[in-house]
Amino acid sequence: MQRSPASPPGLTERISRPVVVALRFVFFLLIFYLLLSIAAGLLIPGQELGRYALVTEPGQSCRDLERALEEFNLNQVDYRVIPAEMAELAGEFEDGNLCWLEIAGIPAEGVGDAAAPLYDAALEKTAGTVSMERAYEPRYGRVESIAIWLLAVLLALVAVARPRKKAGAEDE
């Protein structure tokens, strides 16, 4: 039994259409984000970082440590020293600052020959390493991920808003 064209749509039809459109949008958004992220990783790969949590000597800031390490960067390795939040790592530190030493291009098996002088100098000038982790940083940082999300949203909107042919329209 079919409804007459003049009768208003039922409650189920009024609710299901926006839900179906929203689900299609989310589906296309996630698909496009995944594909664009893979493409960005292949076409403009980022770099691996070795992140070392260091506790500076009392009264020494992270900026002071970065300036002190410049003379030991013999092989011109990309590195930076940034302050870390105390909440990032559990533990109490007496008068020292908790800093991340990030060295680019760290191989999987260790610090590597190019970064060894810099790493050794960092250990000598601080109270020692608290922890170490590996991280991946996109080539263009947060800007890259924001651009991928925006492009994925745009493509998903285009895919959802695209008019589809009705099966009944082809038969006429």
Side-chain angles (χ1 to χ4, degrees), residues 1 4 12-13 20 22 43 48-49 77 82 98 101 118 120 122-124 130 133 140 142 145 153 155 158 163 167-168:
M1 179 177 191
S4 66
T12 305
E13 290 175 358
V20 168
L43 298 176
E48 294 288 326
L49 293 176
V77 176
I82 56 173
L98 184 62
L101 170 63
L118 180 71
D120 292 339
L123 288 181
E124 289 175 13
V130 177
E133 65 182 51
Y140 299 106
R142 290 181 48 90
S145 356
V153 167
L155 290 173
V158 168

Side-chain angles (χ1 to χ4, degrees), residues 69-87:
L69 292 177
E70 286 176 3
E71 67 184 87
F72 297 98
N73 190 9
L74 306 174
N75 299 320
Q76 301 305 314
V77 176
D78 288 335
Y79 78 98
R80 66 181 180 178
V81 180
I82 56 173
E85 296 291 324
M86 289 295 187

Side-chain angles (χ1 to χ4, degrees), residues 40-124:
L42 293 174
L43 298 176
I44 47 173
Q47 60 184 351
E48 294 288 326
L49 293 176
R51 295 183 74 203
Y52 304 92
L54 304 171
V55 180
T56 63
E57 297 294 332
Q60 184 183 29
S61 70
C62 296
R63 190 79 177 130
D64 295 337
L65 177 61
E66 186 172 17
R67 280 194 295 269
L69 292 177
E70 286 176 3
E71 67 184 87
F72 297 98
N73 190 9
L74 306 174
N75 299 320
Q76 301 305 314
V77 176
D78 288 335
Y79 78 98
R80 66 181 180 178
V81 180
I82 56 173
E85 296 291 324
M86 289 295 187
E88 287 184 84
L89 298 169
E92 295 184 17
F93 308 103
E94 298 177 17
D95 297 330
N97 291 313
L98 184 62
C99 304
W100 284 112
L101 170 63
E102 294 182 347
I103 303 174
I106 297 296
E109 64 273 356
V111 175
D113 295 335
L118 180 71
Y119 179 74
D120 292 339
L123 288 181
E124 289 175 13

Side-chain angles (χ1 to χ4, degrees), residues 151-167:
L151 190 57
V153 167
L154 177 67
L155 290 173
L157 285 172
V158 168
V160 170
R162 178 189 68 190
R164 295 185 294 160
K165 293 182 181 179
K166 302 257 183 195

